[in-house]
Amino acid sequence: MIITLKKGTSESQVESLKELLRSKNIEPRVWKGELETVIGCVGDIAHLDPGLIEALDVVEHVQRIQEPYKAANRKFHPADSVVDCGGVPVGGGRFAVIAGPCSVESETQIVEVARAVKAAGATLLRGGAFKPRTSPYAFQGLGAEGLRLLTLAKKETGLPIVTELMEFKDIELFNDVDVIQIGARNMQNFNLLKEVGAYTKKPVLLKRGMSATLQELLMSAEYIMASGNPNVILCERGIRTFETALRNTLDLGVVTVLHRLSHLPVVVDPSHATGYAYMVDSVAVAATAIGADGLIIEVHNDPPRAKCDGAQSQTPEMFTRTMARIRRVREVL
Ligand code: PEP
Ligand code: MN
C-alpha cells in the first residue's frame, strides 16, 4: 500500500501517521519528492483498512500495490536510488565501471590489474576471493588471503573493492570490502540474503540467478531490503537458454524493464553474459547505450593463464579501448 500525502503536510503530521502505522505493525518508508510525499507500507497490510487511512486529513489517496516486492518497487520510491559504493555513487545517472579479474590469484596479479583498470578509468575493483566453482577440483579462490590482497590493491589504487560472499560465516573478514557481491548461484539463498541484510548496510551487488525471473530477482532484493539494508544494486549477467554459442543469453531489454519496475541501480555483466572476451566490448557498449547504471567487466593481465574465466577476460589493452568507447556513448547520451 502506498499513501500519498496532501501538499503542505507538516513534519509532525507525517510523524504521527508513521506512529499510527507502526502501531498496526506496518513499517513506514517515507519518500519525499519535490512535489509530493509518499509513504510506502511494508509488512502485513491485511489488517489495515485503506478506507480508514484515506479518511485522514493529511492523506491525498491510497493505492494498493499488486507486486509482491514493495521496498524494491519504484512505486515506493519514484526517484532512482543512488547507492554509495565506498565513495563512488551508482545509479540515477551516476555510471560505474567495476573491473578486475574473476579471481584474485597473487599480489602481483591483483595489483597489476588494479593499476591498469584504474588508469583506463574503472571506478571500482572486482576480484573473487571465495569462488563458487562448478567443479570441486577447480581453483576455489584464495579465501581470506585473497581479501588481504584486494585490500592491498585498494590501498595502492584507491579503488573501492567488490567481492563475493558465499557464506555468512565469512562476513567478519569483509570489513575492508566496499561492495558485497551475492552471486548468481546464491541469489535465492534466502538465509544468506536475510543475514547480510540484517548485519550490514554495505551495498550488495545482487546477481541474477541463471534461471531466475525478474520478479524472483526483485524478491531476492526485497529480502535484503526488508531485513534492513536498502543499498542493493541489481546485476544482469545473462540466463540459461537452449543457446550454446554464448555462455549465457543476455536480454538487454531487462535493463529497461527493471528500471520501470524498480528504483534500484542496474549493472550489466557482459563477461559472464557472453563467456568470450571478443564479445565483451560490443555488449558493454550496447549495455551502456540502453541505460545501464554501470558495468562489471572481467580483466586479467594474462588471460590464457587465468585460474578462472580466462576465455571471457579482457586484457588491460582491450579494456582501455572499451572504456574509451563507453565514454563516447555516455557523451552522446
Ligand atoms: C563472478 O562474478 O565471477 C561470478 C561467479 O558471477 P556469477 O555469479 O554471475 O556467475
Ligand atoms: Mn567470473
Side-chain angles (χ1 to χ4, degrees):
M1 183 186 285
I2 292 180
I3 306 168
T4 305
L5 301 182
K6 285 191 180 139
K7 283 194 191 75
T9 302
S10 69
E11 266 324 306
S12 66
Q13 285 171 314
V14 175
E15 277 313 310
S16 60
L17 178 51
K18 281 165 71 181
E19 273 316 304
L20 174 71
L21 292 166
R22 286 203 188 100
S23 74
K24 295 179 184 293
N25 283 328
I26 302 291
E27 175 54 32
R29 299 270 164 86
V30 180
W31 181 85
K32 280 198 176 72
E34 258 174 46
L35 298 175
E36 58 178 8
T37 300
V38 297
I39 302 184
C41 301
V42 183
D44 182 8
I45 57 157
H47 306 294
L48 191 62
D49 175 6
L52 187 113
I53 302 295
E54 205 144 32
L56 298 172
D57 267 357
V58 294
V59 174
E60 181 71 42
H61 63 86
V62 170
Q63 188 192 352
R64 280 211 178 262
I65 300 299
Q66 304 301 332
E67 296 84 9
Y69 47 93
K70 313 292 178 191
N73 201 315
R74 189 174 282 278
K75 290 174 187 163
F76 262 51
H77 189 287
D80 291 338
S81 275
V82 182
V83 176
D84 178 1
C85 298
V88 175
V90 184
R94 311 299 294 269
F95 189 83
V97 180
I98 307 163
C102 179
S103 56
V104 181
E105 298 169 10
S106 68
E107 179 175 330
T108 334
Q109 176 241 19
I110 191 66
V111 172
E112 210 174 286
V113 176
R115 287 206 182 109
V117 298
K118 162 116 193 220
T123 44
L124 293 116
L125 174 67
R126 67 151 286 151
F130 297 94
K131 293 304 302 177
R133 301 304 302 276
T134 302
S135 165
Y137 308 116
F139 177 59
Q140 305 285 307
L142 295 179
E145 171 65 3
L147 292 178
R148 190 185 71 79
L149 298 178
L150 271 173
T151 312
L152 210 97
K154 174 176 163 175
K155 282 206 190 98
E156 286 287 320
T157 58
L159 291 176
I161 49 186
V162 183
T163 194
E164 179 163 354
L165 175 74
M166 287 173 59
E167 280 185 280
F168 186 68
K169 71 168 176 55
D170 294 325
I171 198 140
E172 275 159 30
L173 301 169
F174 277 57
N175 284 337
D176 293 327
V177 172
D178 299 281
V179 179
I180 299 172
Q181 176 174 326
I182 294 191
R185 289 153 193 82
N186 269 319
M187 188 206 86
Q188 285 193 319
N189 183 339
F190 300 117
N191 287 337
L192 180 64
L193 301 175
K194 281 193 277 191
E195 285 167 325
V196 168
Y199 181 87
T200 178
K201 288 204 164 44
K202 264 185 196 175
V204 177
L205 181 77
L206 179 65
K207 301 191 86 174
R208 181 181 182 185
M210 57 186 90
S211 63
T213 64
L214 296 186
Q215 177 154 312
E216 285 164 342
L217 171 62
L218 291 169
M219 290 310 289
S220 291
E222 191 76 15
Y223 262 99
I224 300 167
M225 299 174 89
S227 306
N229 183 351
N231 301 311
V232 179
I233 299 172
L234 305 170
C235 179
E236 170 59 51
R237 42 78 77 210
I239 52 169
R240 275 281 164 81
T241 66
F242 53 81
E243 183 54 70
T244 54
L246 301 90
R247 183 174 179 184
N248 288 292
T249 297
L250 176 69
D251 174 1
L252 282 176
V254 159
V255 175
T256 313
V257 179
L258 286 174
H259 278 154
R260 184 185 176 89
L261 300 177
S262 176
H263 53 90
L264 298 173
V266 182
V267 161
V268 172
D269 176 344
S271 311
H272 292 87
T274 60
Y276 298 98
Y278 83 93
M279 296 189 69
V280 169
D281 175 75
S282 54
V283 174
V285 168
T288 307
I290 207 165
D293 299 291
L295 300 164
I296 177 164
I297 299 180
E298 286 186 345
V299 180
H300 197 284
N301 54 343
D302 189 3
R305 282 177 196 76
K307 290 196 168 148
C308 184
D309 286 351
Q312 69 193 33
S313 297
Q314 287 192 317
T315 59
E317 294 70 34
M318 293 166 91
F319 178 69
T320 303
R321 180 170 172 273
T322 299
M323 281 303 296
R325 284 174 22 93
I326 289 166
R327 272 193 290 272
R328 281 163 64 194
V329 172
R330 296 274 306 153
E331 278 163 26
V332 172
L333 290 176

